[in-house]
Amino acid sequence: MYNPYENVLKVMDEAVKVGGLSTDTYEMIRNPQRELKVYLPIRMDDGKIKVFEGYRVQHSNIRGPFKGGIRYSSFTDLNEVKALATWMSLKCAVANIPYGGAKGGITVDPTELSKGELMRLTRRYTFAIESIIGPDTDIPAPDVNTNAQTMAWVLDTYSMLKGKPSPGVVTGKPLELGGSKGRTAATGQGVVISTKLILEACGETLADTRIAVQGFGNVGSYAAKIAYEHGATIVALSDVSDAIYCEDGIDVSDVFAYVEAGNLLKDYKKDGIKHISNAELLTCTCDVLIPAAIENQITEENANELRCRYIVEAANGPTTEEADEILEKRKIVVIPDIFANSGGVIVSYFEWVQNIQTLTWSEKQIKEMLREIMAAAFEDIRQEVEKSACTWRIGAYIVALRRLITANEVKGLFP
Ligand code: GLU
C-alpha cells in the first residue's frame, strides 16, 4: 500500500546522500516534533451525535512558526498529515520564508455534511487544537476541501477563546477579515510562474505549450485559467466527476464560470469537447502535465504511459518515488510540489506579515513579490541541479534540507 510518509523519507534520504549533507541532526528532520490526534463530537442536523477524528502534525519550527493547511477528506489519516506537514517544512525552506511546517486534517467527506455541520465541526476542531496554534506558533490555512469560509470559522473561534481579534492565526481568510489580495489565486499563480520558469530555462514559451490539468479545485482551476490567459493551449481538464479533452484547446474562462456556478464537468457540453477518463487525461499527449488533485496519481502503473515532456506538480505528492525513477529514465522533467505549489504559502506569508503590521498591500505588489521569491528559489534549485547532476526534485530537496540542517546545527540541541 502507498505510504506517503515513507515516500517523503525515501526522497529526503536520497537528497541527503546526493547533496552530501551533514547528517548529525538529520534524524530530527526525519521525525515530526509533535502529532496531535483529537476526537470531535458534533451534533448532526438529524439530532444524533457523531464523532470525527482530526489531526494536527507539527513537523518543524526550526526556521519559524509552524505553517500549513487543514484538509477535509475521507482519505485523510495521521500518516498522510505527517507527510503533508513534512512537505510544508521543505516547501517553506525552498522558498526561504521564515516558517516551519505543519498540517492538519479531519477524516470526513465534507460533501456529506450541511454548511451548519461543517461550521460546528470546524469550530470544535479549532477548540481542540487551540492550545497549540496561534499567530506566532502555528498558523493554519486552507487545503483540500477547505476555503476562506473555513478559515473565517477558525479565526472567529480562536478569537472568541482568546477574547481578542487574532487575524494572524490563519491565512487564506476572507478579505473582510484581514485576508490578502491575491491569496485565492496564489497557488495556481505560482504553478504558472514555475511552469514559465522551467519552460524559459529550456528555451520554450508558455504560449507555445499544450497543457493538461488534473483537478479543478482552487489550485487546478486558477492554474488552468491563468495559463490560458497567458496564451497556453489547455487540451484537457478534469474534476471529481469527469475529464474533458479538446485537441484545439478548451475555452478555460467558459469552463471556469461553468464550474464556479456549481456545475460539474460531466455535464459540460460544447462543440469539440470530448469526455475522457481521468486515466486518459494523465496519459494524453501534451507538453506539460499539471497534476493538481491529490497524492499518488503518477505511479509505476502509469509512468511509462505518460505522453508529456514536463510535469509541474500543483498537488502535494502526486508522484510516487517509483514513478520518479521511470520518469527520470524517460527524461520527463518533473518540477516538484515543494517548489511548484509554493505560491499558496508564499502569499500566506504576505498575508500574515500584513496582519502583524496592520498593513494592506495591493494585488500588484503581492504578485511582484511572489514572482521575485519564486524566481530566486528556482535559481537556487537550478544551481543545485547543475552542481549535483540530479533531478529537480532532488535539487529542491537538497536546497530545503541544507537550510533546515544548517538552522538546526547553528541552534544546537536543547537541553
Ligand atoms: N495548503 C497549502 C499548501 O499545501 C497552503 C498552506 C499555507 O498557506 O499555509 O501549500
Side-chain angles (χ1 to χ4, degrees), residues 14 28 57 64-65 82 104 108 121-122 135 166 168 174 217 225 234 237 242 275 295 337 340 345 361:
E14 175 74 10
M28 291 164 67
V57 175
K82 237 167 110 173
V108 58
L121 182 60
T122 304
S166 311
K225 185 168 172 272
I234 313 298
L237 291 174
D242 207 5
H275 285 258
E295 303 96 82
D337 47 6
V345 75
W361 294 336

Side-chain angles (χ1 to χ4, degrees), residues 67-71 84 88 91 103 139-144 171 183 187 316 341-342 344-346 348-349:
K67 183 81 189 85
I70 298 168
R71 66 169 55 183
L84 289 160
M88 285 311 301
K91 198 181 296 186
K103 203 83 173 197
I139 306 127
D143 196 73
V144 173
T171 57
R183 177 61 185 87
T187 315
N316 288 311
N341 71 31
S342 62
V345 75
I346 294 170
S348 275
Y349 168 56

